[in-house]
């Protein structure tokens, strides 16, 4: 599939200090379509010198430019203009996201709608005054707590939700008055390049947004190691997050980390069976399981487990796997042959650990799909907590099944993870539902729902799932420093060292 004719897809180069330029010491990379392995386009990538230029431009725009002090209403207006442009290019962007990630067009459209919503949300939130007057007990003192932009932010995003994850960072960073250097995943940079083109068109001042596509090894590391970056906001794998945190610590650079998950889905015996089966399938197999909050660990009451798993297996086998651009496809390919090899290794591991395969466990037979990175929805029954496939993020369409008999056991299994990003609970008993959602140690817990979110509510993880929160007011606070201003309106001699 060749998309290079689409105006938003042509690689315009790096975006540095308000200009599209060719890399000085970077290179180029072919971006592939996971649906058929074809080359979508060639993008320019930054090298270390280009990253230094980007950081210097962001630093200058922060230190001497107008953006940090631009009235909130004007910053809000820019975000709204970006949202309008995104809306006007909704279909183009969805097609680009589908071509680059493999996800279905329906999912891509939902992603773009969420992206538009997040720009609109922060355009609104930033206009709300959060400064606070403090009563010091001294009527001569005006004490205020105010919020100011953090400074230069490096924004590093993963390949599974490229535009969505980057927007969760860019929108609040711009709202707060920060300047940013943006690094998309080398695997899926196209929608972020398109977004920066739209941000440019919306009239962002030079240097406020800079784009440096490239690898984590080169571009990500150069951003992480820079003493001139004030905040690294990273979404990706837990081991990469740990590496970034340890490198950033050398300069005491702030980090915000949104990392992986191994998310339990607890199904009690009284749950409505039809909606529970549907939610477990969607939670596990949407975007072929390449979702940080995928519900890949089913914990089901023993009394209904056999019937429930049989129905899951029947329905999983019927999921239509195919190219994301084909409206008949219900889920698309994995993002690359390399990633599929990792998923296949987990399936082999599950079998060697003694899990019982009840669905999938192989590539599709259809010869029309042979060139793409497809893998069938896979279910392992008879799993237990000691298995690596139960504890590790497989990031593919693999669902494991464990059984419980008591509520306490279900909660203990749900919390038996190094991660803590998201969890789901299904029960018809509201009192039990409330007890269980409060007992689960995860950043988002759904009761009788799964995988949904709103830009106004915080998103992030406990444990190895990260540090900090995106979305909601906390997602704006990540990009702000808190400053206390103390104004004595009646200065007088203090008394400590006075001579009289
Ligand atoms: P990844 O390999 O950790 O990469 C994430 C980003 O970091 C990419 O842009 C990558 O660049 C870059 N990177 C890699 N090594 C780096 C380094 N040493 N220094 C700085 N940057 C570096 O993760 P991924 O495979 O793209 O994404 C999947 C992971 O993201 C999963 O674990 C998933 O759970 C997690 N995720 C979490 C959330 C959440 O909200 N918590 C949301 C989405 C995804 P390259 O691509 O160029 O290597």
């Amino acid at each position: 599939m060749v998309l290079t004719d689409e105006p938003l897809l042509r690689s315009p180069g790096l975006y540095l200090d308000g200009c599209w330029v060719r890399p000085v010491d970077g290179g180029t990379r072919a971006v592939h379509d996971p649906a058929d392995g074809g080359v979508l386009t060639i993008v320019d990538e930054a090298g270390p010198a280009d990253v230094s230029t980007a950081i210097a431009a962001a630093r200058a725009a922060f230190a001497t430019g107008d953006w940090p002090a631009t009235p909130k209403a004007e910053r809000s207006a820019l975000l709204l203009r970006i949202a309008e442009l995104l809306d006007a290019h909704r279909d183009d962007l969805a097609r680009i996201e589908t071509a680059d990630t493999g996800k279905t067009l329906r999912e891509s459209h939902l992603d773009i709608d969420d992206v538009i919503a997040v720009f609109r949300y922060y355009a609104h939130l930033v206009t709300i005054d959060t400064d606070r007057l403090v009563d010091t007990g001294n009527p001569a003192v005006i004490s205020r707590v105010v919020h100011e932009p953090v400074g230069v932010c490096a924004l590093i995003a993963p390949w599974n939700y490229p535009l969505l994850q980057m927007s969760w960072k860019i929108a609040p960073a711009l709202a707060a008055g920060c300047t940013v250097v943006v690094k998309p995943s080398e695997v899926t940079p196209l929608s972020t390049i398109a977004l920066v083109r739209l941000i440019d068109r919306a009239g962002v001042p030079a240097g406020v947004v800079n784009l440096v596509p490239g690898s984590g090894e080169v571009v990500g590391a150069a951003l992480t190691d820079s003493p001139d970056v004030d905040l690294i906001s990273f979404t990706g794998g837990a081991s990469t997050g740990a590496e970034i945190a340890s490198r950033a610590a050398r300069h005491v650079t702030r980090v915000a980390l949104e990392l992986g998950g191994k998310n339990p889905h607890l199904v009690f015996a009284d749950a409505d069976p039809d909606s529970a089966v549907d939610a477990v399938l969607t939670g596990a197999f949407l975007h072929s399981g390449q979702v940080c909050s995928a519900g890949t660990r089913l914990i089901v009451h023993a009394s209904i487990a056999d019937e429930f798993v049989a129905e899951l297996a029947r329905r999983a086998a019927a999921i239509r796997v195919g190219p994301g651009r084909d409206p008949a496809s219900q889920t698309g390919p994995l993002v690359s042959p390399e990633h599929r090899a990792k998923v296949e290794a987990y399936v082999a591991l599950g079998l060697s650990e003694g899990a019982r395969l009840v669905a999938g466990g192989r590539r599709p037979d259809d010869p029309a799909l042979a060139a793409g990175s497809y893998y069938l929805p896979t279910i392992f029954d008879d799993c237990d907590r000691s298995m690596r496939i139960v504890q590790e993020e497989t990031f593919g369409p693999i669902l494991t099944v464990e059984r419980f008999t008591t509520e306490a056991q279900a909660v203990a299994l749900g919390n038996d993870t190094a991660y803590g990003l998201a969890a789901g609970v299904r029960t018809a008993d509201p009192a039990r539902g409330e007890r269980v959602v409060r007992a689960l140690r995860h950043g988002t817990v759904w009761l009788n729902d799964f995988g949904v979110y709103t830009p106004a509510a915080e998103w992030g993880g406990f444990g190895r799932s990260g540090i900090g929160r995106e979305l909601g007011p906390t997602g704006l606070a990540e990009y702000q420093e808190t400053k206390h201003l103390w104004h004595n309106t009646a200065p007088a001699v203090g008394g400590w060292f006075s001579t009289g």
Side-chain angles (χ1 to χ4, degrees):
M1 183 179 191
V2 178
L3 276 174
T4 41
D5 286 342
E6 294 199 20
L8 276 178
L9 197 63
R10 265 183 246 124
S11 174
L14 317 180
Y15 186 65
L16 303 180
D17 206 12
C19 299
W20 292 99
V21 296
R22 300 260 86 84
V24 167
D25 61 346
T28 57
R29 181 185 300 270
V31 179
H32 294 271
D33 183 344
D36 58 17
V39 173
L40 289 168
T41 190
I42 310 284
V43 297
D44 288 312
E45 290 198 334
D50 300 306
V51 175
S52 295
T53 304
I55 295 171
R59 174 57 58 198
F62 189 77
T64 57
D66 296 334
W67 186 247
T70 296
K72 289 172 174 180
E74 283 179 39
R75 296 209 294 265
S76 171
L78 177 77
L79 294 187
L80 290 176
R81 280 201 300 281
I82 295 169
E84 274 163 31
L85 284 166
L86 286 163
D87 209 358
H89 291 278
R90 181 175 179 270
D91 290 342
D92 291 342
L93 290 163
R95 271 185 295 130
I96 289 171
E97 200 71 319
T98 286
D100 210 2
T101 63
K103 66 177 66 177
T104 61
L105 262 178
R106 184 177 166 200
E107 286 175 72
S108 293
H109 275 114
L110 290 173
D111 284 5
I112 310 306
D113 290 344
D114 287 352
V115 166
I116 295 166
V118 89
F119 274 95
R120 293 203 168 126
Y121 171 71
Y122 282 112
H124 161 71
L125 192 72
V126 72
T127 60
I128 297 171
D129 194 0
T130 54
D131 294 353
R132 190 169 102 236
L133 275 177
V134 177
D135 183 357
T136 64
N138 179 349
V141 166
I142 302 168
S143 164
R144 282 177 299 150
V145 176
V146 300
H147 300 102
E148 296 185 351
V150 149
V152 174
C153 304
L155 310 181
I156 304 176
W159 50 257
N160 62 333
Y161 284 87
L163 194 63
L164 188 73
Q165 296 298 335
M166 194 55 97
S167 300
W168 287 14
K169 301 179 189 305
I170 293 184
L174 292 182
C178 294
T179 60
V180 302
V181 181
V182 170
K183 190 208 103 56
S185 167
E186 68 189 39
V187 185
T188 56
L190 303 183
S191 59
T192 303
I193 295 171
L195 170 66
V196 173
R197 291 178 74 167
L198 296 179
I199 290 175
D200 176 40
R201 257 188 242 172
V204 71
V208 172
V209 174
N210 303 275
L211 169 71
V212 283
S215 72
E217 223 173 22
V218 175
V219 174
L223 287 168
T224 307
D225 290 341
S226 170
D228 218 18
V229 167
D230 298 300
L231 166 73
I232 301 164
S233 177
F234 169 81
T235 301
S239 55
T240 317
E243 155 95 8
I244 286 175
S246 88
R247 291 170 83 143
R250 282 177 296 179
H251 301 297
V252 199
T253 305
R254 280 171 170 231
V255 289
L257 305 174
E258 292 292 334
L259 308 178
K262 186 72 186 182
N263 312 291
H265 206 158
L266 278 52
V267 179
F268 286 85
D270 61 356
D272 169 57
D274 291 344
S275 60
V277 166
D278 186 65
V280 170
L281 287 172
T282 310
F285 300 130
L286 191 79
H287 195 11
S288 287
Q290 302 166 113
V291 182
C292 55
S293 54
T296 50
R297 187 176 174 188
L298 171 63
I299 297 167
V300 58
H301 194 273
S303 66
I304 59 163
D306 287 346
E307 204 180 329
F308 197 84
V309 173
E311 181 61 6
L312 280 178
R314 189 186 69 75
R315 296 266 304 270
I319 291 174
R320 292 190 301 277
V321 178
R325 59 182 172 271
D326 179 349
S329 304
Q330 292 176 308
T331 192
L334 298 174
V335 77
S336 65
E338 295 76 18
H339 186 60
R340 180 172 61 181
K342 286 185 199 163
V343 170
E344 289 179 323
Y346 267 115
V347 173
L349 176 68
L351 292 169
S352 74
E353 287 180 312
R356 186 164 58 90
L357 189 66
V358 296
R362 60 187 172 80
R363 301 176 185 186
D365 299 327
D366 185 351
L369 302 181
S373 302
Y374 297 93
Y375 202 77
L376 292 177
T378 296
I379 302 177
F380 278 121
D381 199 354
D382 297 345
C383 296
D384 69 64
R385 58 173 302 279
S386 69
M387 295 176 175
R388 281 179 56 198
I389 49 159
V390 170
Q391 295 293 345
E392 296 178 17
E393 185 183 44
T394 58
F395 225 54
I398 303 176
L399 176 69
T400 63
V401 184
E402 297 159 88
R403 288 161 166 74
F404 71 89
T405 49
T406 66
E407 182 180 312
Q409 209 185 359
V411 169
L413 284 172
N415 284 335
D416 176 31
T417 171
Y419 293 104
L421 187 60
V425 179
R426 302 204 76 93
T427 175
D429 177 349
R432 174 168 38 217
E434 180 63 15
R435 280 194 306 274
V436 174
V437 297
R438 295 307 294 256
L440 287 171
R441 304 264 309 150
H442 296 262
T444 296
V445 185
W446 294 286
L447 177 58
N448 296 330
D449 216 331
F450 203 91
V452 282
Y453 76 96
T454 160
E458 278 73 2
W459 176 267
F462 290 25
R464 249 173 90 77
S465 290
I467 298 173
R469 290 292 180 272
E470 296 197 300
L471 302 182
T474 315
L476 179 62
E478 294 272 27
Y479 295 92
Q480 293 174 320
E481 286 283 9
T482 302
K483 185 188 274 183
H484 178 203
L485 300 174
W486 176 288
H487 177 188
N488 190 338
T489 60
V493 173
W496 286 107
F497 301 113
S498 52
T499 51

